[in-house]
């Protein structure tokens, strides 16, 4: 089926749905690299005009990838709530946009990822902020994230040599700034089971010793984490990077069955150790351009591929989902303008699809962006009700080699918007003298001293 319209006497034709969605996307260097983006602003406007009049039913009835050959498409079809969608079926994409902007909500499972992508393409940045702001997606593990007035922060204490003392010292620094309620999450420099196990044991011992109401995670490949679990390492959240096509996930070395197996093993692990933390035990990371970088996008634009990744995530009841929005590089998001747009799109789409969305507001050093770019997007996403951000020492990740947001940034944006940490975590900070009534104070000296003594013990060889 083809789609066509005219703009000021110039006719534009789009041969199929995949082409229409790609041409309607805001400018992204990744779509240009793939040769699928709009060739002019007039063509982009034409595609948006056609997309606005497209019935939502088309996006459900005509999958972009054949479910017989793509397990992500099968999952999307299997998890779609057709009964809930019946009330939306006669709407166009433009009409859904108007309903959302008018304050109406839609059941998340009535929306397939392609619908979320399509409506995002018709929205301004302010639209994306306004609609996402009222969507609260609450999850619970050792604490509760996503409630109104709450902003979580992941402490990201990476170390280029996986040195436990360095990791734990960075963690202590973050805790004293009120960060770490989302997760204490380390990206390991080494994928060895030994290194990952040591990190998990050290973080687990710190959390247990100080009864910190948060969760720890080591962001290795899911199979490495499960191997560490077999060796007795504790796992609170099971991490994996995911994408929006079966082929892209294969490039990560995963299948949906592996994710299902991993989740079940972690749930069994929680029950066996007597500290069942609920059903929300997965942590996923995504990012526009991942399928394209793996040459596994099948001609689908990177925004729509990203939405499909969220279709995967929501099937596993995650505690955290994080778009690492500026990490992949300028081939996919060239500059500040594209990174800001992508961050707002990702947050909106994830929330619309029912996910507890966080964003790593970040950039690599060869992108046309700087820390002011991070500040701009951080403020916009905080206004949009983002569930959590990253807390990286001095905003400079010395292991991954990219720029993100710092503990100081987290404190500043919480103060600016009147936000507080997760309630259980805020209570712990109050009890330890670091916060007063959910707000950071100048205290915490005694806690810092005692935490550093714990770090000294945990960093000794054979301590954990």
């Amino acid at each position: 089926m083809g789609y066509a319209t005219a703009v000021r006497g110039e006719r534009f034709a789009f041969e199929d749905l995949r082409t229409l969605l790609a041409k309607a996307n805001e400018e992204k260097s990744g779509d240009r690299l793939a040769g699928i983006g709009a060739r002019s602003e007039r063509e982009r406007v034409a595609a948006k005009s056609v997309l606005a009049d497209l019935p939502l039913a088309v996006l459900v009835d005509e999958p972009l990838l054949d479910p017989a050959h793509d397990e992500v498409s099968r999952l999307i079809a299997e998890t779609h709530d057709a009964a809930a969608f019946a009330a939306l079926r006669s709407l166009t994409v433009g009409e859904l946009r108007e309903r959302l902007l008018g304050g109406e909500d839609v059941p998340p499972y009535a929306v397939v990822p392609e619908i979320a992508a399509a409506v995002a393409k018709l929205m301004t940045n302010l639209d994306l902020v306004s609609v996402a702001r009222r969507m609260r997606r609450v999850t619970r593990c050792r604490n509760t994230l996503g409630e109104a007035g709450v902003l979580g922060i992941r402490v990201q204490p990476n170390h280029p040599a996986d040195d436990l003392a360095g990791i734990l010292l960075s963690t202590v620094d973050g805790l004293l700034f009120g960060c770490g309620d989302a997760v204490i999450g380390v990206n390991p420099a080494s994928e060895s089971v030994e290194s990952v196990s040591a990190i998990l044991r050290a973080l687990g011992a710190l959390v247990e010793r100080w009864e910190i109401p948060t969760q720890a995670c080591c962001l290795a490949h899911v199979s490495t984490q499960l191997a560490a679990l077999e060796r007795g390492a504790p796992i609170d959240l099971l991490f994996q990077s995911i994408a929006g096509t079966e082929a892209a996930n294969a490039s990560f070395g995963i299948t949906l069955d592996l994710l299902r197996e991993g989740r079940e093993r972690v749930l069994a692990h929680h029950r066996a150790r007597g500290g069942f933390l609920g059903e929300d035990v997965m942590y996923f990371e995504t990012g526009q351009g991942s399928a394209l970088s793996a040459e596994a996008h099948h001609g689908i634009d990177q925004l729509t591929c990203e939405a499909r990744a969220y279709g995967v995530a929501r099937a596993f009841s995650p505690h955290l989902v994080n778009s690492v929005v500026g990490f992949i590089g300028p081939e996919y998001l060239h500059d500040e303008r594209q990174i800001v747009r992508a961050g707002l799109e990702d947050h909106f789409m994830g929330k619309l699809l029912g996910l507890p969305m966080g964003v790593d507001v970040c950039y690599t050093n060869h992108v046309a962006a700087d820390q002011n770019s991070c500040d701009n997007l951080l403020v916009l996403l905080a206004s949009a009700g983002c569930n959590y951000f990253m807390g990286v020492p001095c905003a400079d990740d010395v292991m991954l080699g990219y720029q993100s947001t710092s503990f100081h940034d987290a404190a500043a944006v919480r103060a600016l918007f009147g936000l507080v940490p997760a309630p259980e975590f805020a209570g712990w900070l109050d009890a330890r003298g670091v916060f007063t009534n959910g707000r950071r104070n100048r205290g915490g000296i005694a806690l810092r001293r005692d935490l550093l003594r714990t770090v000294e013990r945990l960093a000794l060889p054979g301590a954990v």
Side-chain angles (χ1 to χ4, degrees):
M1 178 180 178
Y3 307 91
T5 192
V7 177
R8 297 197 174 188
E10 184 177 359
R11 186 175 185 276
F12 294 93
F14 310 100
E15 61 182 352
D16 55 25
L17 188 56
R18 201 176 299 184
T19 302
L20 176 65
L21 287 167
K23 301 292 187 183
N25 200 16
E26 289 295 300
E27 183 178 5
K28 306 283 175 61
S29 53
D31 293 338
R32 184 177 294 274
L33 175 67
I36 60 176
R39 292 163 292 185
S40 67
E41 286 305 312
R42 185 171 290 187
E43 184 179 37
R44 195 183 323 279
V45 169
K48 287 177 184 287
S49 176
V50 174
L51 184 61
D53 292 332
L54 185 75
L56 299 182
V58 174
L59 293 161
V60 173
D61 297 340
E62 300 181 16
L64 299 179
L65 291 178
D66 185 350
H69 304 293
D70 180 82
E71 66 173 357
V72 172
S73 295
R74 287 198 297 277
L75 179 68
I76 290 169
E78 291 165 0
T79 55
H80 182 230
D81 188 339
F85 179 64
L88 306 175
R89 190 173 183 85
S90 63
L91 296 180
T92 65
V93 177
E95 288 169 340
L96 176 61
R97 171 183 176 273
E98 294 303 313
R99 286 199 179 190
L100 292 171
L101 288 171
E104 293 188 39
D105 293 322
V106 297
Y109 278 90
V111 179
V112 295
E114 289 80 1
I115 289 177
V119 74
K121 294 170 191 286
L122 300 184
M123 289 187 159
T124 66
N125 286 6
L126 182 58
D127 292 342
L128 295 169
V129 169
S130 300
V131 176
R133 181 175 177 81
R134 70 169 189 273
M135 296 179 184
R136 309 311 312 182
R137 306 307 187 202
V138 178
T139 56
R140 294 176 175 84
C141 196
R142 281 201 187 90
N143 57 32
T144 306
L145 293 175
E147 294 178 323
V150 170
L151 174 62
I153 304 293
R154 167 189 162 187
V155 166
Q156 185 170 303
N158 297 344
H159 192 281
D162 288 339
D163 179 75
L164 293 184
I167 289 170
L168 292 171
L169 284 170
S170 292
T171 299
V172 168
D173 193 20
L175 290 171
L176 293 171
F177 271 92
C179 301
D181 51 340
V183 65
I184 304 170
V186 176
N187 298 87
S190 166
E191 270 282 335
S192 74
V193 177
E194 292 76 16
S195 182
V196 170
S197 296
I199 291 169
L200 286 169
R201 290 178 187 277
L203 293 179
L206 182 69
V207 169
E208 182 178 348
R209 163 66 182 83
W210 286 98
E211 299 180 331
I212 307 172
T214 190
Q215 32 286 326
C217 183
C218 187
L219 284 72
H221 189 272
V222 62
S223 60
T224 307
Q225 294 169 82
L226 293 175
L229 180 65
E230 289 181 357
R231 298 189 183 189
I235 290 182
D236 295 337
L237 297 179
L238 185 66
F239 166 81
Q240 182 56 49
S241 294
I242 57 173
T245 71
E246 180 177 343
N249 283 327
S251 75
F252 291 148
I254 62 167
T255 63
L256 299 184
D257 280 343
L258 178 59
L259 295 179
R260 293 184 184 103
E261 176 193 350
R263 181 173 182 270
E264 289 305 314
R265 288 176 62 180
V266 170
L267 287 171
H269 163 64
H270 286 185
R271 294 186 179 97
R273 68 180 187 177
F276 183 55
L277 304 180
E279 300 293 324
D280 304 336
V281 298
M282 301 297 284
Y283 175 12
F284 294 121
E285 286 191 345
T286 67
Q288 288 194 34
S290 59
L292 175 58
S293 68
E295 298 184 350
H297 64 295
H298 304 288
I300 303 171
D301 68 275
Q302 60 186 35
L303 171 61
T304 305
C305 281
E306 179 74 359
R308 288 169 56 88
Y310 302 153
V312 173
R314 70 177 179 179
F316 293 90
S317 186
H319 187 56
L320 305 171
V321 179
N322 176 34
S323 168
V324 193
V325 68
F327 184 73
I328 301 181
E331 301 88 349
Y332 309 99
L333 297 171
H334 179 263
D335 53 24
E336 175 183 345
R337 179 173 178 270
Q338 294 185 14
I339 291 172
V340 166
R341 176 68 189 187
L344 296 177
E345 289 168 341
D346 294 352
H347 177 253
F348 162 79
M349 293 190 301
K351 286 287 184 68
L352 184 62
L353 290 165
L355 290 174
M357 285 301 297
V359 177
D360 189 346
V361 177
C362 64
Y363 64 97
T364 53
N365 289 317
H366 55 318
V367 171
D370 57 22
Q371 285 304 131
N372 286 327
S373 307
C374 280
D375 289 350
N376 293 340
L377 182 53
L378 185 68
V379 170
L380 285 168
L381 283 167
S383 179
C386 192
N387 277 32
Y388 71 100
F389 299 116
M390 303 299 111
V392 176
C394 298
D396 183 5
D397 194 301
V398 295
M399 193 280 282
L400 291 173
Y402 80 118
Q403 312 304 310
S404 185
T405 51
S406 69
F407 307 143
H408 305 74
D409 297 329
V413 80
R414 277 174 172 165
L416 179 64
F417 288 93
L419 302 171
V420 297
E424 302 87 347
F425 192 80
W428 180 82
L429 291 168
D430 277 9
R432 299 292 178 177
V434 182
F435 274 40
T436 302
N437 297 325
R439 310 293 179 184
R440 186 169 177 262
N441 59 37
R442 297 288 182 179
I445 295 175
L447 177 61
R448 180 181 181 85
R449 180 195 63 224
D450 293 342
L451 284 170
L452 290 177
R453 288 174 178 168
T454 302
V455 168
E456 286 180 336
R457 292 195 295 272
L458 293 179
L460 292 173
V464 292

